[in-house]
Amino acid sequence: MMGPAGIRTLTEPQDMAAYLQGVRGEVGRSPVVFLPETTDQVADCVRHCGQAGRPFVAQSGNTGLVGASVPDDVGDTAVLSLSRLRETFELDLANRSLRVSAGFRLSEVNDRLAEHGLFFPIDLGSDPMIGGMVATNTGGGRFLRYGDVRRNTLGLTVVLDDGVVLRLGSSVRKDNTGPDWKHLHIGSSGWFGTITEAILNLEPVVAEQATALVIPSSDEAMLTLLRHLETRAGPLLSAFEFMSRAAMGHAFRHAASLKNPFPRGEIPETALLVELSRPTRAPWDTPLQDVLEAVLAEAWDIADAPVADAFFGRPQEIWALRHALSEGVKAAGPLIAFDLGFTRDKVIAFRAAMTGLLGQNFPMVEICDFGHLGDGGLHFNLVKRDGPLDDEFERSLRDCVMDQAVRAFGGSFSAEHGIGPKNDRYFRMFGQQSTDLLEQSMRAVQRRHL
Amino acid sequence: MMGPAGIRTLTEPQDMAAYLQGVRGEVGRSPVVFLPETTDQVADCVRHCGQAGRPFVAQSGNTGLVGASVPDDVGDTAVLSLSRLRETFELDLANRSLRVSAGFRLSEVNDRLAEHGLFFPIDLGSDPMIGGMVATNTGGGRFLRYGDVRRNTLGLTVVLDDGVVLRLGSSVRKDNTGPDWKHLHIGSSGWFGTITEAILNLEPVVAEQATALVIPSSDEAMLTLLRHLETRAGPLLSAFEFMSRAAMGHAFRHAASLKNPFPRGEIPETALLVELSRPTRAPWDTPLQDVLEAVLAEAWDIADAPVADAFFGRPQEIWALRHALSEGVKAAGPLIAFDLGFTRDKVIAFRAAMTGLLGQNFPMVEICDFGHLGDGGLHFNLVKRDGPLDDEFERSLRDCVMDQAVRAFGGSFSAEHGIGPKNDRYFRMFGQQSTDLLEQSMRAVQRRHL
């Protein structure tokens, strides 16, 4: 028997295929896919793998971008799919919280919550499952307003690699009676266990939003504008996204139906997507569209005059451009993608430095970047213009970018995609600190334990 | 020599006195107080204590309410005061973050930040230092809007008990390249190390606020009103505080200058302090006072009609009542205080149950409670009306309340005050889970480490 009793198991190649292929094209090999339906069945699978000496990889929505959700090509690693783990969906309306199994997709969670006027406020281009979202601590486009998964997680159920089930935290928001162990697992890419259930904080759904495309007067002006918006629009500000001309150009070329909102279709060097939103539109509220226009009009008069131009439009049309960037860049040619994080001022400085450095050393590469300037996240995408990538070129280019991002600009080499085979080289290069911290932290815990 | 070279040391009783007395009247004994001025000096002190086999207690602002910042009365424990640890105060304006030493008081941090239009958004009745705030993960009166210390901490410097200095996290907001070890230390009451520095998230200062005292039509109506406010005032809502008649009565009796805002001075059974605020008052904004009046007027018409009456007034006057509750209750007689946390609906249910239970079994005790209903925090204060407390009475009363709070209502026995001698009994009673989690988590980390 390939697995523990009573658990659905796939072993035929055609049945397993979907579980072995990742979204970045990677394909692994595996003898078996387990499809447990409860936390206890996950524990059975984990124990079974332990006893059999079989490595396993946990997979929920399989939308991850670092190759962490599929097995390698050696062929001995089992897939522990959490996609049928749907035993729990318990809404606590008064507490604005939801206890939910790892196998629910984000879109399904929010569809079910809509009738109650609530949602899980992580806004992503993809549609992952809750388990993977917790494991990678995704942020997304409205981090500025709602924070990341960590900030919106009240409790977790985790199956450790020896099959022990831990229930960490609870629906109680204020509880400081010892270390908050759930944080060991959030954003750790499954290092210490498999997440089977989470208790999530919910927020009132957005009922009104206003969006503009803003052309900054200079690179430096972008942060001036951000601070102006944070002060004048305050808690209404929900997105401040940066898009480069190259990324927008590829999006328009790739998505024919996409509306080009710029005069004569001339794409600016940089555009910022600015959004205000709120959960209501009350009779006493100035319409958000008017507020946004007024805040941006003020910005003409402040020091540095950060706004060169601004275009208003229906939120779904403007977001359609933002959401088309990824596919557009992917279609433009061989892609070398980075998910970087910086302090907010370093985003601009890093881009400027890389424009020079890559122009000199990798002139055949085009920078097609975009990102979440409001929280320092930068999807630094490079497209090779002159034909296919070879491994050596890709590695030397990646090494150059990562060295600058981490060593020269103090950034993160994985802002919101977590750790996996695709960035393992950089984890080994820059993650020494992680290993030291693990050892030191373990000793500190041991001392306390003795 | 009582300590490592170059570190200021106190050994005379009159010099040490202030460091040995806690705010709840507890007085400890100690052979020495160390006053290090840098993280390295803290590490020297910790190593010195380790080599000498001397226990130590870290103390920053010494405002804690669970006795954790002063030594016990055995007399062999050193005090490691962080009050002179002021080497770092580095503001990053563009990033809205501050790197600051543990020895700065909250009020001083905010005074220094005011000229830049920023503040550290934890609102407390007391004035602790940053080190203790991180160690206890304080929440306070605006948790509903800004969250707790954990949510606003980007990085930490921690000295482990073997003198190793760890720098955890950084000013980068998005970084998921391994476990986020700083969370092992936030809210852990110093279990694993001494916090010497933190990198804090800052928010734009509040420029406009509007406040009302609302009389709910019933206990159940309070949550209906809260949900109405969260939907209609959305991100403007910054406080939803609950005050009982008994607590308000003692505040008015104790603080003669306090204005009684109620008609004919008749204190209602319950009052809610509702606050809206924002970092700006722009020309296009409806004044917040009008917004608050309109939102509350709407509440007359919704199901359950949650509002019986509402009184508006200047924010500082209304907050003066809220802030006078603690002192008023303290002055009313022997006090047995609890800092409890629940899911939001359980706060009401717990109070109702306790009113019955205490009335039956402890009729000489008056419930004078208040708290943060928006996040489930309840300062459940009991005053003994018939003379002094004896230990046995206090213990049986505490046991009764804690058993109900934790076992019957799934609450936390320390919502925001952390763990110390004053609640150690309940940590041992209900914290078994913590010890198990520590052991299991340590094993999980070890497995990964091997």
Side-chain angles (χ1 to χ4, degrees):
Chain A
M1 196 171 70
M2 284 301 287
I7 289 165
R8 191 180 157 135
T9 296
L10 309 176
T11 54
E12 295 298 319
Q14 69 273 22
D15 298 335
M16 294 197 292
Y19 299 89
L20 303 182
Q21 176 155 0
V23 293
R24 285 253 156 111
E26 64 277 23
V27 179
R29 292 173 57 233
S30 174
V32 59
V33 175
F34 297 123
L35 292 161
E37 296 179 10
T38 65
T39 292
D40 287 344
Q41 287 190 349
V42 171
D44 288 346
C45 292
V46 166
R47 266 191 300 266
H48 169 84
C49 288
Q51 283 154 10
R54 179 174 297 295
F56 72 88
V57 56
Q59 177 187 96
S60 57
N62 197 15
T63 59
L65 297 174
V66 296
S69 56
V70 292
D72 60 24
D73 58 8
V74 174
D76 64 348
T77 298
V79 176
L80 179 57
S81 168
L82 307 174
S83 58
R84 295 186 181 226
L85 202 59
R86 299 166 57 84
E87 61 180 324
T88 307
F89 192 99
E90 291 169 18
L91 175 61
D92 182 340
L93 258 182
N95 199 49
R96 273 202 285 105
S97 66
L98 172 71
R99 181 188 289 266
V100 60
S101 296
F104 280 89
R105 286 210 186 264
L106 176 59
S107 60
E108 188 181 358
V109 167
N110 286 336
D111 286 348
R112 287 188 181 206
L113 293 172
E115 65 171 303
H116 304 287
L118 294 171
F119 79 130
F120 182 52
I122 307 296
D123 178 67
L124 300 174
S126 62
D127 190 17
M129 290 178 184
I130 297 300
M133 291 181 73
V134 174
T136 54
N137 187 27
T138 51
R142 269 122 180 167
F143 182 105
L144 192 59
R145 167 79 154 272
Y146 299 107
D148 51 13
V149 169
R150 185 187 301 281
R151 174 164 141 191
N152 291 285
T153 300
L154 303 173
L156 286 183
T157 302
V158 182
V159 177
L160 302 184
D161 285 358
D162 57 1
V164 167
V165 177
L166 298 185
R167 294 181 197 279
L168 307 171
S170 73
S171 307
V172 174
R173 280 181 171 72
K174 269 183 170 167
D175 179 17
N176 286 288
T177 53
D180 194 342
W181 293 106
K182 67 175 176 280
H183 293 288
L184 200 61
H185 301 279
I186 300 172
S188 299
S189 300
W191 273 28
F192 304 122
T194 303
I195 290 144
T196 61
E197 206 172 279
I199 305 173
L200 306 176
N201 173 60
L202 307 176
E203 294 288 335
V205 289
V206 169
E208 188 191 12
Q209 58 188 149
T211 318
L213 285 171
V214 177
I215 318 306
S217 58
S218 71
D219 279 359
E220 294 65 35
M222 293 194 275
L223 282 181
T224 307
L225 178 62
L226 176 57
R227 290 204 64 205
H228 171 69
L229 287 164
E230 288 185 330
T231 307
R232 293 299 270 176
L236 299 175
L237 182 65
S238 51
F240 191 86
E241 300 278 295
F242 155 85
M243 302 184 283
S244 66
R245 174 193 283 161
M248 289 186 282
H250 291 308
F252 289 127
R253 274 187 288 280
H254 179 66
S257 66
L258 205 59
K259 203 179 139 196
N260 183 326
F262 302 109
R264 298 171 306 281
E266 282 171 23
I267 306 170
E269 188 60 34
T270 302
L272 298 166
L273 188 164
V274 175
E275 181 191 76
L276 308 185
S277 65
R278 63 185 162 206
T280 195
R281 164 76 181 281
W284 54 84
D285 286 327
T286 306
L288 275 189
Q289 187 65 37
D290 297 349
V291 173
L292 183 55
E293 286 176 27
V295 181
L296 291 173
E298 275 188 336
W300 287 87
D301 298 326
I302 63 174
D304 302 348
V307 175
D309 212 341
F311 306 95
F312 299 90
R314 289 195 302 156
Q316 53 271 49
E317 279 177 13
I318 293 183
W319 277 103
L321 169 58
R322 171 66 184 79
H323 288 313
L325 300 179
S326 277
E327 289 301 316
V329 167
K330 242 187 275 179
L335 175 68
I336 310 103
F338 301 85
D339 163 41
L340 307 175
F342 298 95
T343 57
R344 308 202 307 192
D345 56 321
K346 294 278 170 45
V347 177
I348 318 292
F350 171 79
R351 296 188 70 238
M354 291 314 292
T355 302
L357 197 63
L358 295 183
Q360 217 159 28
N361 300 320
F362 299 89
M364 66 299 294
V365 149
E366 184 187 33
I367 302 178
C368 312
D369 59 343
F370 53 92
H372 318 291
L373 199 55
D375 51 69
L378 179 66
H379 295 296
F380 194 69
N381 294 306
L382 304 178
V383 171
K384 188 157 178 288
R385 281 180 287 217
D386 63 347
L389 268 181
D390 67 72
D391 286 355
E392 200 188 311
F393 176 88
E394 179 172 353
R395 192 166 51 242
S396 76
L397 177 56
R398 280 194 183 273
D399 286 359
C400 168
V401 172
M402 289 299 206
D403 181 72
Q404 285 294 304
V406 178
R407 290 224 172 88
F409 289 90
S412 167
F413 65 90
S414 189
E416 54 179 344
H417 294 171
I419 296 294
K422 299 246 177 214
N423 56 16
D424 190 50
R425 176 176 168 82
Y426 303 100
F427 180 74
R428 281 182 282 116
M429 202 174 280
F430 304 116
Q432 182 55 38
Q433 207 210 353
S434 269
T435 313
D436 288 351
L437 290 182
L438 191 153
E439 188 165 336
Q440 295 293 356
S441 300
M442 188 184 70
R443 283 199 201 140
V445 173
Q446 271 175 324
R447 271 193 299 274
R448 176 71 196 188
H449 180 59
L450 295 176
Chain B
M1 196 171 70
M2 285 301 286
I7 288 165
R8 190 180 158 137
T9 296
L10 309 176
T11 54
E12 294 298 319
Q14 69 273 23
D15 299 335
M16 294 198 292
Y19 300 89
L20 303 183
Q21 176 154 2
V23 293
R24 285 256 156 108
E26 64 275 25
V27 180
R29 292 173 57 234
S30 174
V32 58
V33 175
F34 297 124
L35 291 161
E37 295 179 12
T38 67
T39 292
D40 288 344
Q41 287 191 348
V42 171
D44 289 345
C45 291
V46 165
R47 267 190 300 265
H48 170 85
C49 287
Q51 284 153 10
R54 178 175 298 295
F56 71 89
V57 57
Q59 176 186 96
S60 58
N62 197 16
T63 59
L65 297 174
V66 295
S69 56
V70 292
D72 60 25
D73 58 7
V74 174
D76 64 348
T77 298
V79 175
L80 178 56
S81 169
L82 307 173
S83 58
R84 294 185 182 228
L85 202 59
R86 299 166 58 84
E87 60 180 325
T88 307
F89 192 98
E90 291 169 19
L91 175 61
D92 183 340
L93 258 182
N95 199 49
R96 272 202 286 106
S97 65
L98 173 71
R99 181 189 290 267
V100 61
S101 295
F104 281 88
R105 287 209 186 264
L106 175 60
S107 60
E108 189 182 357
V109 167
N110 286 335
D111 286 347
R112 286 188 181 207
L113 293 172
E115 65 171 305
H116 305 287
L118 295 170
F119 79 129
F120 183 52
I122 307 296
D123 178 69
L124 300 173
S126 63
D127 190 17
M129 290 177 185
I130 297 300
M133 291 181 73
V134 174
T136 53
N137 186 27
T138 50
R142 271 129 179 158
F143 182 106
L144 191 60
R145 167 79 153 273
Y146 299 106
D148 51 14
V149 169
R150 184 187 302 281
R151 174 164 141 192
N152 291 286
T153 299
L154 303 173
L156 285 184
T157 302
V158 182
V159 177
L160 303 184
D161 286 358
D162 56 2
V164 167
V165 177
L166 298 185
R167 294 183 197 278
L168 307 171
S170 73
S171 307
V172 174
R173 281 182 170 72
K174 268 182 170 167
D175 179 17
N176 286 289
T177 54
D180 194 342
W181 293 106
K182 67 175 177 279
H183 293 288
L184 200 62
H185 301 278
I186 302 172
S188 298
S189 301
W191 272 28
F192 304 121
T194 302
I195 290 143
T196 61
E197 206 171 278
I199 305 173
L200 306 176
N201 172 61
L202 307 176
E203 295 288 334
V205 289
V206 169
E208 189 191 11
Q209 58 189 148
T211 317
L213 285 172
V214 177
I215 317 306
S217 58
S218 71
D219 279 357
E220 294 66 34
M222 293 193 275
L223 281 180
T224 307
L225 178 63
L226 176 57
R227 289 206 63 205
H228 171 70
L229 288 165
E230 287 184 330
T231 307
R232 294 298 269 177
L236 299 174
L237 183 65
S238 52
F240 191 85
E241 298 279 296
F242 155 85
M243 302 183 282
S244 66
R245 174 192 283 160
M248 290 187 280
H250 290 308
F252 289 126
R253 273 187 288 280
H254 179 64
S257 66
L258 205 60
K259 203 180 139 195
N260 183 326
F262 302 109
R264 297 170 307 281
E266 283 171 21
I267 306 170
E269 188 59 33
T270 302
L272 298 166
L273 188 165
V274 175
E275 181 192 75
L276 308 184
S277 65
R278 63 186 161 205
T280 196
R281 164 75 181 283
W284 53 82
D285 285 328
T286 306
L288 275 188
Q289 186 65 37
D290 297 350
V291 173
L292 183 55
E293 286 176 26
V295 181
L296 291 172
E298 275 189 337
W300 286 86
D301 298 325
I302 64 175
D304 301 350
V307 175
D309 212 340
F311 306 96
F312 300 90
R314 291 195 302 157
Q316 54 271 49
E317 278 178 11
I318 292 182
W319 277 103
L321 168 59
R322 170 65 183 82
H323 288 312
L325 299 179
S326 277
E327 290 300 315
V329 167
K330 241 188 274 179
L335 174 68
I336 309 103
F338 301 85
D339 163 41
L340 307 175
F342 298 95
T343 58
R344 306 200 309 189
D345 56 320
K346 293 277 169 49
V347 176
I348 318 292
F350 171 79
R351 295 188 72 237
M354 292 313 293
T355 303
L357 198 62
L358 295 183
Q360 216 158 29
N361 300 319
F362 299 89
M364 67 300 293
V365 150
E366 183 186 33
I367 303 178
C368 312
D369 59 344
F370 53 92
H372 319 292
L373 200 55
D375 51 68
L378 180 65
H379 296 295
F380 193 69
N381 294 305
L382 305 176
V383 171
K384 188 158 180 287
R385 281 181 287 219
D386 63 347
L389 268 180
D390 68 73
D391 287 354
E392 200 190 312
F393 176 88
E394 180 173 351
R395 192 167 51 245
S396 75
L397 175 56
R398 281 193 182 274
D399 285 359
C400 167
V401 172
M402 289 298 207
D403 181 73
Q404 285 293 306
V406 179
R407 291 226 169 87
F409 289 90
S412 167
F413 65 89
S414 188
E416 53 179 346
H417 293 171
I419 295 294
K422 299 245 177 215
N423 56 17
D424 189 52
R425 175 177 170 83
Y426 303 100
F427 180 74
R428 282 182 280 115
M429 202 175 280
F430 304 116
Q432 182 54 37
Q433 207 209 355
S434 270
T435 313
D436 289 351
L437 290 181
L438 192 154
E439 188 164 335
Q440 296 292 356
S441 301
M442 189 183 69
R443 283 198 201 142
V445 173
Q446 271 175 323
R447 270 193 298 274
R448 176 72 196 187
H449 180 59
L450 295 175

